[in-house]
C-alpha cells in the first residue's frame, strides 16, 4: 500500500478562575482522574482481549477538536462571558460578543473579496475584530463629547470631524488592551473545552493507546484550541497540535496543514517505526474528510447522535446561508458556506468509516488498520 501523504494533487489568573464552572472543576478533579486511571490499570491487568491488528505498527491518528471531541456551543458561550467581563473591566461597556462575531464576519468577507490578500489566522481575525470594535467605541465616545461641546447631534457632525475622531481613536488605543481581551477569551475557551470534553472521549482515547501503544496522537485545527492546553482531559493523550497560522500554515482543507501534521509525526514516532497507517477523525466533511483524504489519510467522520450537541449541520450544510438560522458565534461569510457545502458533497465518497458515538472509534480504527494490512 502507498504510504500516507504520497498522493498528488487569554487574561489574568484571578479573572479566569472567577469565570470557571465549579461543576466542571468537580467532575475533572485530579484526584478523580488519578482514581479512574488506577481503576483502568487494574481492569487492564485482567483484560484478556487479543492484541489489536497492527498493534506494533507506526500509526498516526489526527483529530479535529471543535465539535469532534467536545461541543462548541457551550465552550464559545463561556469564552464570550470571559470576553464581556474583560471588556467591561477595561471600560468598553457597550461591546458585546455578538458585535465581535459580526465584525469577524465583516473582516473575513473583506479578505474573500480581495483574493490577493493572504487570509489572516484565526487569532489575527479575532484580534483585528476586537481592535476594530474598540476603535469604534472610542470614536463614538469622542464624537459624543464633540457634539456636546458644539451643541448638536452626533449625526450632524461633519465628515472631517468624524475622520479626525477615528484617527485619534486609532492612535490612542493600547495594543495591550486588545491582547488582554483576546487572552481572556482564549484562556476561558481552553478551560471550557477541558470541562466539556464528551464523557466517552477520554476512555476512548485510553483504549486506542492501549490497542496501539506506538500510535502518535495529533490535533489539526483551524480554531484557537490546543489540546495540550487542556490538562485535565486531552493533554495527557496528545503529542502535538497543528493550527491554522502556525509558521504561516494555511487552514483546512489546504493540504499544507495536513502535510505539517505528517512532518510532526516524525518528531514523535517511536524508534525507527515508519508510518504505516494515518487516520484523521473529524466532524467536517469538507475540511476533515475531504482535506485529509486528499493528502492520503483514511478518514473517520464523526456524525454523532443529537445528544452530543454538534453544530455542523446548522452551521455548514444549510440550503440558503442568507436565511439560515446559524449559531450566533458562527462567522463564516455566506459565500464561504456555499463553497463549503459543495466540498462536503464531493467528500462523501472519501469517508472510510462513520461513527455516531465516540466509543465506536476504536473498533473503526481496528477495522481500518486491518484493511490496510490486507491491501
Amino acid at each position: 500500500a502507498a504510504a500516507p501523504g504520497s498522493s498528488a494533487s487569554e487574561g489574568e489568573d484571578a479573572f479566569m478562575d472567577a469565570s470557571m464552572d465549579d461543576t466542571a472543576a468537580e467532575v475533572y478533579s485530579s484526584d478523580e482522574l488519578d482514581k479512574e486511571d488506577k481503576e483502568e490499570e487494574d481492569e487492564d491487568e485482567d483484560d484478556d482481549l487479543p492484541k489489536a491488528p497492527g498493534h506494533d505498527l507506526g500509526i498516526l491518528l489526527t483529530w479535529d477538536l471543535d465539535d469532534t471531541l467536545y461541543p462548541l456551543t457551550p465552550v464559545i458561550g463561556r469564552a464570550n462571558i470571559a470576553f464581556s467581563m474583560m471588556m467591561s473591566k477595561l471600560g468598553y461597556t457597550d461591546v458585546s460578543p455578538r458585535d465581535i462575531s459580526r465584525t469577524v464576519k465583516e473582516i473575513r468577507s473583506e479578505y474573500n473579496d480581495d483574493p490577493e490578500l493572504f487570509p489572516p489566522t484565526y487569532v489575527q481575525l479575532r484580534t483585528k475584530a476586537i481592535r476594530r470594535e474598540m476603535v469604534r467605541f472610542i470614536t463614538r465616545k469622542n464624537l459624543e463629547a464633540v457634539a456636546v461641546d458644539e451643541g448638536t447631534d452626533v449625526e450632524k457632525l461633519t465628515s472631517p470631524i468624524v475622520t479626525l475622531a477615528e484617527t485619534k481613536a486609532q492612535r490612542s488605543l493600547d495594543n495591550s488592551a486588545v491582547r488582554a481581551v483576546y487572552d481572556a477569551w482564549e484562556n476561558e475557551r481552553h478551560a471550557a473545552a477541558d470541562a466539556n470534553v464528551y464523557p466517552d472521549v477520554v476512555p476512548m482515547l485510553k483504549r486506542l493507546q492501549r490497542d496501539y501503544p506506538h500510535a502518535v496522537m495529533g490535533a489539526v485545527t483551524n480554531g484557537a484550541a490546543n489540546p495540550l492546553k487542556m490538562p485535565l482531559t486531552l493533554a495527557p493523550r496528545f503529542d502535538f497540535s497543528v493550527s491554522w497560522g502556525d509558521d504561516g500554515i494555511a487552514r483546512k482543507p489546504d493540504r499544507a496543514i495536513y502535510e505539517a501534521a505528517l512532518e510532526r509525526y516524525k518528531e514523535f514516532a517511536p524508534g525507527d517505526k515508519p508510518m504505516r497507517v494515518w487516520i484523521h477523525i473529524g466532524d467536517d466533511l469538507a475540511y476533515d474528510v475531504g482535506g485529509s483524504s486528499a493528502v492520503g489519510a483514511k478518514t473517520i467522520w464523526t456524525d454523532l447522535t443529537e445528544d452530543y450537541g454538534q453544530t455542523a449541520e446548522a452551521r455548514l450544510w444549510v440550503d440558503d446561508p442568507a436565511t439560515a438560522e446559524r449559531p450566533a458565534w458562527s462567522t463564516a461569510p455566506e459565500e464561504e458556506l456555499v463553497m463549503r457545502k459543495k466540498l462536503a458533497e464531493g467528500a462523501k465518497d472519501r469517508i472510510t468509516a462513520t461513527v455516531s458515538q465516540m466509543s465506536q472509534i476504536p473498533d473503526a480504527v481496528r477495522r481500518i488498520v486491518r484493511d490496510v494490512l490486507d491491501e
Side-chain angles (χ1 to χ4, degrees), residues 223-241:
N226 184 336
L228 302 180
K229 295 182 179 181
M230 303 175 197
L232 303 180
T233 54
L234 301 185
R237 307 294 159 190
F238 275 77
D239 297 299
F240 69 85
S241 180

Side-chain angles (χ1 to χ4, degrees), residues 249-356:
I249 294 174
R251 64 187 179 125
K252 295 187 290 187
D254 192 279
R255 65 183 295 117
I257 193 170
Y258 289 107
E259 289 170 344
L262 294 176
E263 286 299 313
R264 295 299 304 276
Y265 170 84
K266 298 174 185 178
E267 299 176 30
F268 297 94
D272 58 352
K273 288 185 180 296
M275 181 172 54
R276 287 289 307 279
V277 184
W278 169 30
I279 303 172
H280 181 72
I281 303 100
D283 71 307
D284 192 314
L285 276 173
Y287 286 7
D288 291 312
V289 173
S292 67
S293 64
V295 191
K298 303 297 183 181
T299 63
I300 297 176
W301 180 36
T302 57
D303 185 23
L304 304 178
T305 53
E306 188 175 339
D307 53 305
Y308 281 87
Q310 288 181 310
T311 61
E313 187 172 354
R315 285 187 295 121
L316 306 175
W317 310 325
V318 294
D319 293 327
D320 185 358
T323 60
E325 195 171 318
R326 292 188 282 155
W329 45 262
S330 178
T331 62
E334 294 169 11
E335 59 269 23
E336 182 177 320
L337 290 175
V338 172
M339 175 272 295
R340 203 160 171 174
K341 187 175 182 181
K342 291 180 180 178
L343 290 176
E345 289 295 328
K348 287 181 178 179
D349 61 355
R350 298 183 181 183
I351 301 169
T352 310
T354 301
V355 298
S356 59

Side-chain angles (χ1 to χ4, degrees), residues 27-44:
V27 171
Y28 292 103
S29 69
S30 58
D31 288 343
E32 290 190 358
L33 285 173
D34 290 342
K35 181 180 177 182
E36 289 176 8
D37 286 342
K38 182 63 170 62
E39 289 173 351
E40 291 210 4
E41 288 171 6
D42 293 341
E43 290 173 5
D44 288 346

